[in-house]
Amino acid sequence: MILAIMITILSVSDGHKHFSIPIEEYKKRTDKYLKHITIRPISHTNSEYIVVKETLAILEALKKLKWKIYLLDERGKSLTTRAFAELIEDARNESDDLIFIIGGSYWVDLE
C-alpha cells in the first residue's frame, strides 16, 4: 500500500499576474497532492521591516499547520535531486505531511 502525503507550498508572492493562466492550470492539476498558500509581499522601503512583517505572516499561517516544515532559502543546505526525492520518500514512509516555505525578496527570520 502506498501512503499518500500532502505537500503544502507556502510562498510570499505577488501572484505573478502575467503567469496567472499557467499557474491556475498547475494548481488545478496538483490540488489533489499540493496545497498552495500565498502571502502577499509587504511594500515598504525598509527591508528589515519587510522581513519582520512577512515572517509574522508566515508564522501566523503556520499556526494552522502541524507538519514537517522546510524553509527554502539561499543560505540553507543544498540538496541533489536524489536527496530531495529521499526526503519526500522518508516523509511518505513516516506518513508525515510537508510544508515548504518560499520567502520573500529578502529573507525569512524564523529564529
Side-chain angles (χ1 to χ4, degrees):
M1 179 175 130
I2 295 177
L3 299 173
I5 64 170
M6 177 61 75
I7 296 174
T8 298
I9 299 173
L10 190 155
S11 62
V12 177
S13 172
D14 65 0
H16 305 290
K17 293 177 185 153
H18 51 287
F19 293 122
S20 63
I21 293 173
I23 287 171
E24 287 308 312
E25 180 64 24
Y26 177 78
K27 285 181 178 181
K28 186 170 71 174
R29 293 180 184 200
T30 61
D31 270 349
K32 186 175 180 182
Y33 309 103
L34 290 173
K35 180 178 179 183
H36 304 87
I37 300 172
T38 303
I39 295 171
R40 303 297 270 163
I42 302 299
S43 179
H44 199 277
T45 56
N46 184 316
S47 63
E48 290 178 10
Y49 177 85
I50 293 170
V51 169
V52 168
K53 290 297 187 182
E54 289 179 352
T55 299
L56 289 174
I58 289 169
L59 290 173
E60 186 62 32
L62 291 176
K63 285 182 183 178
K64 303 169 189 162
L65 306 169
K66 303 257 187 248
W67 303 342
K68 282 192 175 179
I69 299 170
Y70 294 89
L71 174 62
L72 306 180
D73 187 273
E74 64 185 15
R75 299 168 293 169
K77 177 182 173 185
S78 293
L79 295 178
T80 64
T81 301
R82 184 177 304 269
F84 186 71
E86 288 173 2
L87 182 139
I88 302 291
E89 181 69 20
D90 290 346
R92 190 183 76 171
N93 290 338
E94 297 171 17
S95 299
D96 288 330
D97 292 329
L98 302 172
I99 300 172
F100 293 101
I101 301 171
I102 304 170
S105 299
Y106 297 99
W107 62 85
V108 177
D109 184 11
L110 295 179
E111 294 177 19

